[in-house]
mmCIF file of all heavy atoms in Angstrom:
data_model
loop_
_atom_site.group_PDB
_atom_site.id
_atom_site.type_symbol
_atom_site.label_atom_id
_atom_site.label_comp_id
_atom_site.label_asym_id
_atom_site.label_seq_id
_atom_site.Cartn_x
_atom_site.Cartn_y
_atom_site.Cartn_z
ATOM 1 N N THR A 10 -2.215 0.101 3.186
ATOM 2 C CA THR A 10 -1.465 -0.779 4.086
ATOM 3 C C THR A 10 -1.190 -2.116 3.404
ATOM 4 O O THR A 10 -0.070 -2.639 3.471
ATOM 5 C CB THR A 10 -2.232 -0.997 5.407
ATOM 6 O OG1 THR A 10 -2.399 0.264 6.043
ATOM 7 C CG2 THR A 10 -1.505 -1.933 6.335
ATOM 8 N N LEU A 11 -2.197 -2.650 2.718
ATOM 9 C CA LEU A 11 -1.993 -3.900 1.972
ATOM 10 C C LEU A 11 -0.922 -3.717 0.908
ATOM 11 O O LEU A 11 -0.063 -4.587 0.723
ATOM 12 C CB LEU A 11 -3.305 -4.347 1.305
ATOM 13 C CG LEU A 11 -4.385 -4.914 2.211
ATOM 14 C CD1 LEU A 11 -5.656 -5.159 1.404
ATOM 15 C CD2 LEU A 11 -3.912 -6.194 2.873
ATOM 16 N N SER A 12 -0.961 -2.616 0.222
ATOM 17 C CA SER A 12 0.027 -2.334 -0.818
ATOM 18 C C SER A 12 1.435 -2.235 -0.224
ATOM 19 O O SER A 12 2.388 -2.801 -0.771
ATOM 20 C CB SER A 12 -0.326 -1.021 -1.526
ATOM 21 O OG SER A 12 0.676 -0.657 -2.434
ATOM 22 N N GLN A 13 1.560 -1.535 0.874
ATOM 23 C CA GLN A 13 2.874 -1.405 1.520
ATOM 24 C C GLN A 13 3.400 -2.760 1.977
ATOM 25 O O GLN A 13 4.591 -3.056 1.793
ATOM 26 C CB GLN A 13 2.795 -0.432 2.695
ATOM 27 C CG GLN A 13 2.623 1.008 2.262
ATOM 28 C CD GLN A 13 2.426 1.941 3.436
ATOM 29 O OE1 GLN A 13 2.599 1.573 4.587
ATOM 30 N NE2 GLN A 13 2.056 3.170 3.148
ATOM 31 N N ARG A 14 2.541 -3.576 2.543
ATOM 32 C CA ARG A 14 2.956 -4.921 2.959
ATOM 33 C C ARG A 14 3.409 -5.741 1.759
ATOM 34 O O ARG A 14 4.430 -6.423 1.803
ATOM 35 C CB ARG A 14 1.811 -5.649 3.672
ATOM 36 C CG ARG A 14 1.578 -5.183 5.064
ATOM 37 C CD ARG A 14 0.472 -5.998 5.716
ATOM 38 N NE ARG A 14 0.063 -5.390 6.962
ATOM 39 C CZ ARG A 14 -1.109 -5.559 7.525
ATOM 40 N NH1 ARG A 14 -2.016 -6.338 6.960
ATOM 41 N NH2 ARG A 14 -1.409 -4.963 8.656
ATOM 42 N N PHE A 15 2.633 -5.684 0.683
ATOM 43 C CA PHE A 15 2.978 -6.422 -0.524
ATOM 44 C C PHE A 15 4.354 -5.988 -1.031
ATOM 45 O O PHE A 15 5.204 -6.818 -1.338
ATOM 46 C CB PHE A 15 1.922 -6.203 -1.620
ATOM 47 C CG PHE A 15 2.331 -6.756 -2.944
ATOM 48 C CD1 PHE A 15 2.182 -8.108 -3.222
ATOM 49 C CD2 PHE A 15 2.896 -5.931 -3.915
ATOM 50 C CE1 PHE A 15 2.572 -8.627 -4.448
ATOM 51 C CE2 PHE A 15 3.287 -6.444 -5.134
ATOM 52 C CZ PHE A 15 3.131 -7.791 -5.405
ATOM 53 N N HIS A 16 4.564 -4.678 -1.131
ATOM 54 C CA HIS A 16 5.835 -4.172 -1.649
ATOM 55 C C HIS A 16 6.998 -4.523 -0.725
ATOM 56 O O HIS A 16 8.100 -4.817 -1.215
ATOM 57 C CB HIS A 16 5.755 -2.674 -1.926
ATOM 58 C CG HIS A 16 4.874 -2.332 -3.091
ATOM 59 N ND1 HIS A 16 5.130 -2.753 -4.373
ATOM 60 C CD2 HIS A 16 3.713 -1.633 -3.161
ATOM 61 C CE1 HIS A 16 4.182 -2.318 -5.191
ATOM 62 N NE2 HIS A 16 3.303 -1.643 -4.474
ATOM 63 N N SER A 17 6.765 -4.500 0.569
ATOM 64 C CA SER A 17 7.819 -4.907 1.516
ATOM 65 C C SER A 17 8.162 -6.378 1.333
ATOM 66 O O SER A 17 9.341 -6.749 1.278
ATOM 67 C CB SER A 17 7.368 -4.676 2.965
ATOM 68 O OG SER A 17 7.223 -3.311 3.214
ATOM 69 N N GLN A 18 7.142 -7.221 1.219
ATOM 70 C CA GLN A 18 7.372 -8.651 1.022
ATOM 71 C C GLN A 18 8.049 -8.898 -0.323
ATOM 72 O O GLN A 18 8.940 -9.741 -0.435
ATOM 73 C CB GLN A 18 6.051 -9.430 1.103
ATOM 74 C CG GLN A 18 5.463 -9.459 2.490
ATOM 75 C CD GLN A 18 4.024 -9.990 2.508
ATOM 76 O OE1 GLN A 18 3.414 -10.195 1.470
ATOM 77 N NE2 GLN A 18 3.498 -10.181 3.713
ATOM 78 N N GLU A 19 7.650 -8.167 -1.322
ATOM 79 C CA GLU A 19 8.253 -8.316 -2.648
ATOM 80 C C GLU A 19 9.718 -7.883 -2.614
ATOM 81 O O GLU A 19 10.564 -8.512 -3.256
ATOM 82 C CB GLU A 19 7.466 -7.504 -3.683
ATOM 83 C CG GLU A 19 7.809 -7.814 -5.101
ATOM 84 C CD GLU A 19 7.584 -9.258 -5.507
ATOM 85 O OE1 GLU A 19 6.716 -9.943 -4.934
ATOM 86 O OE2 GLU A 19 8.306 -9.715 -6.412
ATOM 87 N N ALA A 20 10.038 -6.847 -1.865
ATOM 88 C CA ALA A 20 11.425 -6.403 -1.739
ATOM 89 C C ALA A 20 12.270 -7.477 -1.059
ATOM 90 O O ALA A 20 13.412 -7.731 -1.467
ATOM 91 C CB ALA A 20 11.497 -5.091 -0.955
ATOM 92 N N VAL A 21 11.714 -8.128 -0.041
ATOM 93 C CA VAL A 21 12.432 -9.217 0.647
ATOM 94 C C VAL A 21 12.656 -10.372 -0.325
ATOM 95 O O VAL A 21 13.761 -10.927 -0.406
ATOM 96 C CB VAL A 21 11.658 -9.679 1.909
ATOM 97 C CG1 VAL A 21 12.217 -10.983 2.455
ATOM 98 C CG2 VAL A 21 11.673 -8.589 2.965
ATOM 99 N N ARG A 22 11.614 -10.742 -1.084
ATOM 100 C CA ARG A 22 11.750 -11.830 -2.067
ATOM 101 C C ARG A 22 12.797 -11.486 -3.119
ATOM 102 O O ARG A 22 13.620 -12.317 -3.499
ATOM 103 C CB ARG A 22 10.404 -12.130 -2.731
ATOM 104 C CG ARG A 22 9.467 -12.960 -1.883
ATOM 105 C CD ARG A 22 8.268 -13.466 -2.694
ATOM 106 N NE ARG A 22 7.328 -12.417 -3.066
ATOM 107 C CZ ARG A 22 6.310 -12.015 -2.319
ATOM 108 N NH1 ARG A 22 6.081 -12.576 -1.150
ATOM 109 N NH2 ARG A 22 5.514 -11.063 -2.744
ATOM 110 N N GLU A 23 12.786 -10.247 -3.592
ATOM 111 C CA GLU A 23 13.749 -9.818 -4.607
ATOM 112 C C GLU A 23 15.167 -9.840 -4.044
ATOM 113 O O GLU A 23 16.103 -10.279 -4.727
ATOM 114 C CB GLU A 23 13.390 -8.414 -5.108
ATOM 115 C CG GLU A 23 14.229 -7.928 -6.266
ATOM 116 C CD GLU A 23 14.048 -8.732 -7.543
ATOM 117 O OE1 GLU A 23 12.977 -9.329 -7.761
ATOM 118 O OE2 GLU A 23 14.995 -8.771 -8.341
ATOM 119 N N ALA A 24 15.330 -9.422 -2.815
ATOM 120 C CA ALA A 24 16.655 -9.454 -2.188
ATOM 121 C C ALA A 24 17.150 -10.895 -2.054
ATOM 122 O O ALA A 24 18.334 -11.181 -2.283
ATOM 123 C CB ALA A 24 16.615 -8.770 -0.822
ATOM 124 N N LYS A 25 16.241 -11.801 -1.695
ATOM 125 C CA LYS A 25 16.622 -13.215 -1.588
ATOM 126 C C LYS A 25 17.020 -13.766 -2.956
ATOM 127 O O LYS A 25 17.991 -14.517 -3.065
ATOM 128 C CB LYS A 25 15.482 -14.047 -0.995
ATOM 129 C CG LYS A 25 15.302 -13.838 0.489
ATOM 130 C CD LYS A 25 14.154 -14.682 1.021
ATOM 131 C CE LYS A 25 13.954 -14.454 2.503
ATOM 132 N NZ LYS A 25 12.827 -15.243 3.023
ATOM 133 N N ARG A 26 16.285 -13.410 -4.010
ATOM 134 C CA ARG A 26 16.619 -13.871 -5.366
ATOM 135 C C ARG A 26 17.990 -13.351 -5.776
ATOM 136 O O ARG A 26 18.817 -14.082 -6.328
ATOM 137 C CB ARG A 26 15.563 -13.398 -6.372
ATOM 138 C CG ARG A 26 14.305 -14.235 -6.401
ATOM 139 C CD ARG A 26 13.420 -13.893 -7.595
ATOM 140 N NE ARG A 26 12.787 -12.583 -7.494
ATOM 141 C CZ ARG A 26 11.560 -12.373 -7.016
ATOM 142 N NH1 ARG A 26 10.811 -13.384 -6.612
ATOM 143 N NH2 ARG A 26 11.069 -11.167 -6.952
ATOM 144 N N GLU A 27 18.217 -12.071 -5.513
ATOM 145 C CA GLU A 27 19.521 -11.496 -5.860
ATOM 146 C C GLU A 27 20.644 -12.164 -5.068
ATOM 147 O O GLU A 27 21.715 -12.430 -5.612
ATOM 148 C CB GLU A 27 19.511 -9.985 -5.619
ATOM 149 C CG GLU A 27 18.667 -9.226 -6.618
ATOM 150 C CD GLU A 27 18.563 -7.739 -6.313
ATOM 151 O OE1 GLU A 27 19.297 -7.241 -5.432
ATOM 152 O OE2 GLU A 27 17.744 -7.074 -6.976
ATOM 153 N N GLN A 28 20.399 -12.443 -3.781
ATOM 154 C CA GLN A 28 21.422 -13.098 -2.959
ATOM 155 C C GLN A 28 21.709 -14.498 -3.480
ATOM 156 O O GLN A 28 22.858 -14.929 -3.547
ATOM 157 C CB GLN A 28 20.981 -13.162 -1.491
ATOM 158 C CG GLN A 28 22.037 -13.728 -0.557
ATOM 159 C CD GLN A 28 23.293 -12.873 -0.545
ATOM 160 O OE1 GLN A 28 23.235 -11.666 -0.418
ATOM 161 N NE2 GLN A 28 24.452 -13.524 -0.684
ATOM 162 N N LYS A 29 20.658 -15.196 -3.899
ATOM 163 C CA LYS A 29 20.818 -16.546 -4.438
ATOM 164 C C LYS A 29 21.662 -16.507 -5.708
ATOM 165 O O LYS A 29 22.579 -17.316 -5.891
ATOM 166 C CB LYS A 29 19.450 -17.169 -4.724
ATOM 167 C CG LYS A 29 19.515 -18.599 -5.213
ATOM 168 C CD LYS A 29 18.119 -19.148 -5.439
ATOM 169 C CE LYS A 29 18.190 -20.563 -5.999
ATOM 170 N NZ LYS A 29 16.883 -21.097 -6.308
ATOM 171 N N ILE A 30 21.375 -15.546 -6.581
ATOM 172 C CA ILE A 30 22.149 -15.413 -7.821
ATOM 173 C C ILE A 30 23.602 -15.086 -7.496
ATOM 174 O O ILE A 30 24.534 -15.675 -8.068
ATOM 175 C CB ILE A 30 21.525 -14.337 -8.736
ATOM 176 C CG1 ILE A 30 20.184 -14.835 -9.265
ATOM 177 C CG2 ILE A 30 22.457 -13.976 -9.887
ATOM 178 C CD1 ILE A 30 19.361 -13.766 -9.975
ATOM 179 N N THR A 31 23.815 -14.183 -6.556
ATOM 180 C CA THR A 31 25.176 -13.816 -6.154
ATOM 181 C C THR A 31 25.910 -15.025 -5.580
ATOM 182 O O THR A 31 27.084 -15.266 -5.900
ATOM 183 C CB THR A 31 25.143 -12.670 -5.114
ATOM 184 O OG1 THR A 31 24.439 -11.569 -5.679
ATOM 185 C CG2 THR A 31 26.520 -12.229 -4.705
ATOM 186 N N ASP A 32 25.221 -15.799 -4.750
ATOM 187 C CA ASP A 32 25.832 -17.000 -4.163
ATOM 188 C C ASP A 32 26.187 -18.015 -5.243
ATOM 189 O O ASP A 32 27.254 -18.637 -5.210
ATOM 190 C CB ASP A 32 24.900 -17.640 -3.124
ATOM 191 C CG ASP A 32 24.753 -16.791 -1.872
ATOM 192 O OD1 ASP A 32 25.552 -15.838 -1.693
ATOM 193 O OD2 ASP A 32 23.823 -17.068 -1.073
ATOM 194 N N GLU A 33 25.295 -18.190 -6.231
ATOM 195 C CA GLU A 33 25.559 -19.140 -7.312
ATOM 196 C C GLU A 33 26.770 -18.702 -8.133
ATOM 197 O O GLU A 33 27.616 -19.517 -8.501
ATOM 198 C CB GLU A 33 24.329 -19.285 -8.215
ATOM 199 C CG GLU A 33 23.196 -20.058 -7.573
ATOM 200 C CD GLU A 33 21.939 -20.077 -8.441
ATOM 201 O OE1 GLU A 33 21.940 -19.505 -9.558
ATOM 202 O OE2 GLU A 33 20.940 -20.674 -7.989
ATOM 203 N N ILE A 34 26.866 -17.424 -8.416
ATOM 204 C CA ILE A 34 28.009 -16.913 -9.183
ATOM 205 C C ILE A 34 29.300 -17.123 -8.394
ATOM 206 O O ILE A 34 30.316 -17.570 -8.941
ATOM 207 C CB ILE A 34 27.805 -15.419 -9.537
ATOM 208 C CG1 ILE A 34 26.654 -15.282 -10.537
ATOM 209 C CG2 ILE A 34 29.083 -14.804 -10.071
ATOM 210 C CD1 ILE A 34 26.215 -13.853 -10.807
ATOM 211 N N ALA A 35 29.252 -16.825 -7.100
ATOM 212 C CA ALA A 35 30.439 -17.010 -6.255
ATOM 213 C C ALA A 35 30.823 -18.485 -6.195
ATOM 214 O O ALA A 35 32.024 -18.834 -6.260
ATOM 215 C CB ALA A 35 30.193 -16.470 -4.852
#
């Protein structure tokens, strides 16, 4: 359960990083 939570949170963080990069490029 801890691992799943970590991976879910990491996926959210990664999506935010990718969105930030996309926004900066735009």
Side-chain angles (χ1 to χ4, degrees):
T10 299
L11 287 174
S12 174
Q13 289 175 10
R14 284 183 191 156
F15 171 81
H16 290 298
S17 294
Q18 291 169 352
E19 193 59 28
V21 168
R22 281 192 290 272
E23 186 65 27
K25 286 180 181 179
R26 280 191 290 265
E27 289 175 10
Q28 185 62 48
K29 183 179 177 184
I30 291 170
T31 303
D32 291 347
E33 287 175 1
I34 292 171

